[in-house]
Amino acid sequence: MGITNSSVSGHFILVGFSDQPQLEKILFVVVLVSYVLTLGGNTLIILISIDPKLKTPMYFFLTHLSLVDICFTTSIVPQLLWNLRGPAKTITSLGCAVQLYTYLALGSTECVLLAVMAFDRYAAVCKPLHYASMMNPRLCHTLSGVAWLSGLGNTLIHSTITLWLPRCGHRKLHHFFCEVPSMIKLACVDIHAIEIQIFVTSLVLLLLPLALILMSYGHIAKAVLRIRSVRAWRKALGTCGSHLTVVTLFYGTIIAVYMQPNSSYAHTHGKFISLFYTVLTPTLNPLIYTLRNKDVKGALGRLFHRDLSS
């Protein structure tokens, strides 16, 4: 059965949090506020990247991360708000397909991008004399391109396979958005081989970048421990602390969702964890990178001062 018959006609039902109507009202406000903050905070990060003092690899990759976060949340939150607000808990088949492709592409891109940013921090702390030559513009563009292409390749394979699975009229998703694990559960054929394929891919796209991040920070920790200057200690920790916090939030929640047994995947706890990494984490990222970053605060001051002057 092809996409035309099984995917394009009709609507999907997103069960979400419909079994808790009082909670939906609270979640609507929380999600709306978080979305506005996500758009505002990440847009500011992108705008200040034009500041001449922030023309460094770190802020180049941070701009890409902000762009990913804006698109990532936008692929999910507007539909979530619509479903939380009213009795209708549906999404069109086309909307579900777009959400599936976009969400998986951007989520995979962020996994690789965070590993790239960890390598950049490793180069800055462990190879300071060679940092400028190592992280040259050509390499930065190549690494960011690899991150985006890996996400695109992953979604083209898995989202397409998922949409082509015959569902025999099953359209009730026990989640608040369309994603691969929930979608394949609707299939009326044996999906054991596909589940193994998805699990292996999750290991590669989640744990391989995470392993590279841990290796980078292992080398950074060794370098920091050899530093005797308190000022240098603080600079190294300030340089890496924000990124390490973001990595912990993103990977901690996403691994809790995708590495748990299938039998418990779509239960309430899984949906709340998914809500955290799809809605709240992109909101926190700009705050984490700006609260203790003097360069970003300075760039924000110059940006607003220039706007007020003009």
Side-chain angles (χ1 to χ4, degrees):
M1 188 180 295
I3 286 180
T4 302
N5 295 327
S6 65
S7 304
V8 176
S9 61
H11 292 66
F12 287 96
I13 299 171
L14 298 174
V15 175
F17 305 94
S18 58
D19 57 336
Q20 299 169 283
Q22 294 302 317
L23 178 62
E24 283 189 316
K25 297 177 182 178
I26 299 172
L27 286 178
F28 179 83
V29 176
V30 172
V31 172
L32 179 60
V33 172
S34 295
Y35 185 51
V36 171
L37 291 175
T38 296
L39 294 180
N42 285 289
T43 300
L44 275 177
I45 295 290
I46 294 172
L47 288 176
I48 64 173
S49 66
I50 63 176
D51 191 290
K53 293 186 178 180
L54 298 185
K55 293 294 182 180
T56 63
M58 175 182 173
Y59 296 106
F60 172 80
F61 295 126
L62 181 56
T63 301
H64 280 266
L65 181 64
S66 294
L67 180 60
V68 168
D69 281 342
I70 288 174
C71 298
F72 185 73
T73 52
T74 301
S75 71
I76 296 170
V77 171
Q79 182 67 48
L80 173 59
L81 288 171
W82 177 263
N83 289 352
L84 286 173
R85 187 172 180 271
K89 310 296 181 186
T90 60
I91 182 172
T92 64
S93 294
L94 177 60
C96 188
V98 170
Q99 191 176 76
L100 184 69
Y101 275 102
T102 307
Y103 159 80
L104 186 56
L106 295 169
S108 304
T109 298
E110 182 154 352
C111 287
V112 179
L113 190 58
L114 288 173
V116 169
M117 294 174 75
F119 174 73
D120 172 64
R121 294 301 82 210
Y122 157 77
V125 175
C126 300
K127 308 287 183 182
L129 298 179
H130 304 285
Y131 178 68
S133 59
M134 283 181 64
M135 301 304 295
N136 57 74
R138 183 177 179 181
L139 179 62
C140 290
H141 285 92
T142 300
L143 291 174
S144 63
V146 168
W148 285 98
L149 288 175
S150 63
L152 179 62
N154 185 45
T155 197
L156 285 176
I157 295 171
H158 288 99
S159 296
T160 304
I161 292 173
T162 301
L163 289 174
W164 277 89
L165 287 172
R167 286 181 285 274
C168 304
H170 300 155
R171 294 184 174 276
K172 193 174 183 179
L173 286 166
H174 290 275
H175 216 305
F176 59 84
F177 67 100
C178 297
E179 52 149 16
V180 171
S182 295
M183 292 285 287
I184 64 173
K185 288 183 181 300
L186 301 181
C188 53
V189 295
D190 184 13
I191 59 172
H192 181 66
I194 295 175
E195 286 184 323
I196 292 175
Q197 179 186 358
I198 291 172
F199 181 76
V200 171
T201 306
S202 298
L203 287 178
V204 173
L205 283 174
L206 287 175
L207 300 187
L208 181 59
L210 182 59
L212 295 174
I213 290 170
L214 293 176
M215 287 175 58
S216 296
Y217 277 102
H219 288 291
I220 290 171
K222 289 180 182 179
V224 169
L225 289 174
R226 291 196 296 265
I227 298 174
R228 296 183 179 180
S229 168
V230 176
R231 184 179 179 182
W233 254 76
R234 289 177 179 173
K235 184 177 180 180
L237 293 175
T239 300
C240 304
S242 299
H243 179 257
L244 194 56
T245 304
V246 169
V247 167
T248 302
L249 287 173
F250 182 79
Y251 273 97
T253 52
I254 206 167
I255 287 176
V257 170
Y258 286 96
M259 294 293 106
Q260 63 179 306
N262 282 330
S263 59
S264 63
Y265 175 79
H267 291 178
T268 303
H269 292 300
K271 285 187 283 189
F272 276 106
I273 297 173
S274 296
L275 191 67
F276 189 89
Y277 80 79
T278 56
V279 178
L280 296 180
T281 300
T283 304
L284 295 174
N285 286 354
L287 296 175
I288 292 169
Y289 277 106
T290 57
L291 283 178
R292 297 179 61 187
N293 192 313
K294 293 181 180 179
D295 293 334
V296 173
K297 289 180 180 178
L300 283 171
R302 290 189 291 273
L303 176 66
F304 287 119
H305 178 71
R306 183 166 60 247
D307 289 341
L308 289 172
S309 298
S310 61

